[in-house]
Every structure is written in structure tokens, then in C-alpha cells.
Amino acid sequence: MTDQQFDVLERTRDIVVKSIEELSLEQMNRIPGGFNNNIAWNLAHLVVSQQILCYRLSGLPCTIDDAVIDRYKKGTAPDRERPMTAEELRYFREKFLGNAAKFREDYEKGIFTEFHTYTTSMNVTLTDIHGAIAYNNMHEGLHLGYILALKRAVRG
């Protein structure tokens, strides 16, 4: 079953990247009326959330900086005074695609041996890496929906 979960993660991430590839940096950073974030923030948030849910809760080091995690974790919003740069966007796109394969590889190495129980904001209690993977996939699907709605809004 876990292979299928990794397939879902990789496929969802492919869909996200394909859906935003023709958007400009300005469109990626725009926060349309009725929304409180943008596509660029959602992309970074997904990178950060997967690291927290799967690596940090397993007692493992994240593959991204703590400063980056603090900027895009749950409860944050885009910095309206400092939009994401093209370089930052490239970084997150690379991480977004590359981390899925690295995650599968790390899982297959058997490094996820412990887990710190965590109750999410949706009141789902995660007790092991398998629950974290499934929850992360649901979370990524939810944000895919946000990204698609944002895309429609920024394209007018």
C-alpha cells in the first residue's frame, strides 16, 4: 500500500507543477480578492508541511532550513511586502519535485523508525509514518484544489 501512497504523492505533485508552469511570477505571487494566500505560498507550504509531517515527526532532520520552515508552515501567510523571487520559486519547484523521490528512497532505506504522535488541525491523530504519508497526501490534494482555484482567479 505504501508504494501506492508514494505514487499518489508523485502524481499529485506532477499535476500541481503542470498546472502552474505557464503562470508568470506576478501571477504566482498575486493574492486575489477573497483569498488569503497565493500559488507561490501554497507550493512552498506543501514542501514545508511534508518535511514537518514526515521527517520532523519521525525525529529526523528536515531537508530544508528552519528559517524556510518558519516562513511557510501552518498558520503563516505570504509576505505582501516581499513577494517570492524567481530564484526562490525555482528552489521550491525543485524541492517540490525532488523531495517526493527522496522521501520514497528514504522510506525504502527504513529510516522512519520512530514517530512522535501528533494531532493535526483537522483533529486527525497521526501515530506512525504510514498515517503521516496518507495525511500528507490528503493535505496536498486539498492544496491542489486551492492552487487550481487561485489559478482561475489570477488568470481572470
Side-chain angles (χ1 to χ4, degrees):
M1 176 152 132
T2 304
D3 266 349
Q4 184 180 33
Q5 291 289 335
F6 283 110
D7 291 345
V8 168
L9 175 63
E10 291 166 358
R11 182 68 187 121
T12 302
R13 288 187 171 199
D14 286 342
I15 293 168
V16 167
V17 169
K18 282 183 175 76
S19 72
I20 63 174
E21 61 190 7
E22 79 278 359
L23 297 177
S24 69
L25 181 61
E26 190 275 326
Q27 288 173 313
M28 295 283 291
N29 278 306
R30 186 180 309 149
I31 302 172
F35 291 87
N36 61 3
N37 57 45
N38 58 35
I39 294 169
W41 180 89
N42 274 273
L43 185 68
H45 173 71
L46 289 176
V47 170
V48 163
S49 295
Q50 182 264 338
Q51 290 291 297
I52 292 169
L53 289 168
C54 299
Y55 284 82
R56 187 174 279 171
L57 290 177
S58 294
L60 298 168
C62 295
T63 64
I64 54 175
D65 247 353
D66 282 345
V68 173
I69 289 173
D70 289 343
R71 187 167 178 205
Y72 297 103
K73 67 185 179 184
K74 177 180 69 174
T76 65
D79 183 345
R80 293 176 187 263
E81 302 301 314
R82 191 187 152 304
M84 191 178 288
T85 66
E87 183 179 336
E88 289 169 319
L89 187 57
R90 273 192 299 279
Y91 168 83
F92 284 114
R93 198 177 300 217
E94 274 179 29
K95 287 290 188 183
F96 189 67
L97 290 172
N99 278 359
K102 176 163 180 22
F103 183 29
R104 183 190 292 254
E105 180 182 308
D106 287 345
Y107 179 84
E108 289 171 353
K109 286 180 190 173
I111 69 168
F112 297 95
T113 58
E114 63 179 77
F115 196 86
H116 305 287
T117 299
Y118 174 73
T119 301
T120 70
S121 58
M122 299 179 109
N123 204 30
V124 174
T125 300
L126 306 177
T127 59
D128 61 27
I129 189 61
H130 300 103
I133 293 168
Y135 183 83
N136 183 69
N137 283 349
M138 181 279 303
H139 179 253
E140 296 215 1
L142 184 69
H143 281 274
L144 169 59
Y146 293 154
I147 289 167
L148 294 175
L150 283 160
K151 179 182 175 181
R152 281 191 301 277
V154 300
R155 291 176 78 187

